[in-house]
């Protein structure tokens, strides 16, 4: 039954991509239904009696589940329909990933409560910075579109606006988008800091040392440093525009490599079962 729910959620996500933008209520309702199916199926699949399923597919699926919620809430306050065509197709793919790559079950007996909190906080951090990355991509497209419109006006090329152009035209002003982006980054950085700190406690209890210098730790700390530098540059140097977008996308790419990338290599390529 869970398999059918996963597939149904994926189909609903994809269906929403092709709905006209003016059907906002229909889109909101269908996305909410897909999100509930996604979350319920994920919960039933991940949480077992005294054990927890872990793996790169679970992390990606949970991350996009929270990201869809962030899109849904943002779109109610601002006209950010462009996020729909970026977030929902990827969410549809990540919904069915656990069916293809189930990961492995980790017993919770003897594990510290910090372990669960560490996982929850890390998923929230991943999700917040994922939606920030989508936001940054949207801003890159918006900026390119604005320059393109300026060029077209100068050369009297008044061609009919494409679907993408119409979507980008409905976005808030770039300054508003930038403010939203930095709010997301600041919150994501706070959550990422909590992830690092809870990881230190968990590592101390499990391995007897604060840091276990593996790929996950190195990439996480590098991503944390990049986002921290971006926020500091914004505050004291007024960084914005392309600089801010580049830092956001590079920081997110590094963070993606921290857990999802390393787990993918270990599970899928090297076929190693790890906790």
């Amino acid at each position: 039954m869970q398999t059918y729910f996963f597939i149904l959620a994926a189909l609903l996500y994809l269906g929403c991509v092709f709905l006209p933008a003016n059907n906002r209520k229909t889109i909101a309702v269908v996305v909410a239904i897909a999100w509930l199916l996604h979350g319920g199926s994920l919960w039933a699949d991940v949480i077992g009696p005294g054990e927890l399923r872990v793996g790169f597919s679970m992390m990606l699926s949970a991350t996009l589940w929270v990201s869809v919620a962030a899109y849904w809430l943002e779109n109610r306050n601002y006209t950010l329909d462009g996020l729909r065509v970026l977030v929902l197709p990827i969410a549809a793919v990540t919904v069915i990933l656990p069916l293809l790559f189930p990961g492995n079950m980790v017993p919770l007996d003897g594990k510290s409560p910090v372990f669960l909190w560490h996982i929850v906080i890390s998923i929230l951090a991943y999700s917040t910075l994922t939606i920030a990355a989508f936001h940054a991509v949207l801003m890159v497209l918006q900026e390119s579109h604005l320059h393109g419109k300026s060029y077209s006006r100068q050369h009297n090329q008044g061609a009919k606006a494409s679907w993408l152009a119409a979507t980008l035209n409905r976005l808030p002003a770039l300054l508003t988008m930038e403010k939203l982006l930095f709010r997301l980054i600041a919150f994501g950085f706070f959550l990422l800091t909590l992830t690092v700190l809870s990881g230190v406690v968990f590592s101390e209890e499990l391995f007897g040392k604060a840091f276990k210098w593996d790929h996950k730790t190195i990439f996480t700390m590098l991503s944390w440093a990049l986002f921290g530098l971006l926020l500091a540059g914004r505050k004291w140097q007024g960084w914005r525009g392309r600089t801010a977008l580049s830092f956001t996308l590079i920081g997110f790419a590094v963070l993606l490599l921290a857990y999802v990338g390393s787990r993918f290599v270990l599970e899928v390529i090297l076929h190693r079962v790890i906790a």
Side-chain angles (χ1 to χ4, degrees), residues 28 34 113 155-156 159 169 183 187 200 202 249:
H155 291 76
N156 298 317
N169 283 334
R183 285 180 194 170
F187 185 55
V200 168
F202 174 60
L249 294 174

Side-chain angles (χ1 to χ4, degrees), residues 126 129-130 132-137 140 181 185 192 218-230 239 241-259:
Y126 262 71
L129 294 171
T130 296
F134 283 128
H135 203 93
V137 170
V140 170
L181 176 66
I185 292 172
L192 192 59
I218 292 169
F219 281 123
T220 299
M221 294 304 297
L222 180 56
S223 177
W224 180 84
L226 285 169
F227 282 115
L229 181 60
L230 172 58
W239 287 359
R242 291 282 173 157
T243 301
L245 297 178
S246 298
F247 261 88
T248 302
L249 294 174
I250 293 170
F252 172 72
V254 173
L255 184 62
L256 196 64
L257 290 172
Y259 183 85

Side-chain angles (χ1 to χ4, degrees), residues 4 40 43 45 60 66 80 109 111 130 153 165 180 185 205 228-229 261 268 273-274:
Y4 295 117
W43 177 272
D45 193 47
L60 274 178
V66 179
L80 295 174
D109 293 337
K111 290 280 195 307
T130 296
R153 282 197 298 269
L180 289 171
I185 292 172
E205 290 186 1
L229 181 60
V268 179
V273 176
I274 50 177

Side-chain angles (χ1 to χ4, degrees), residues 28-45:
V29 170
V30 176
V31 169
I33 293 170
W35 183 80
L36 290 172
L37 285 170
H38 183 182
S41 303
L42 196 61
W43 177 272
D45 193 47

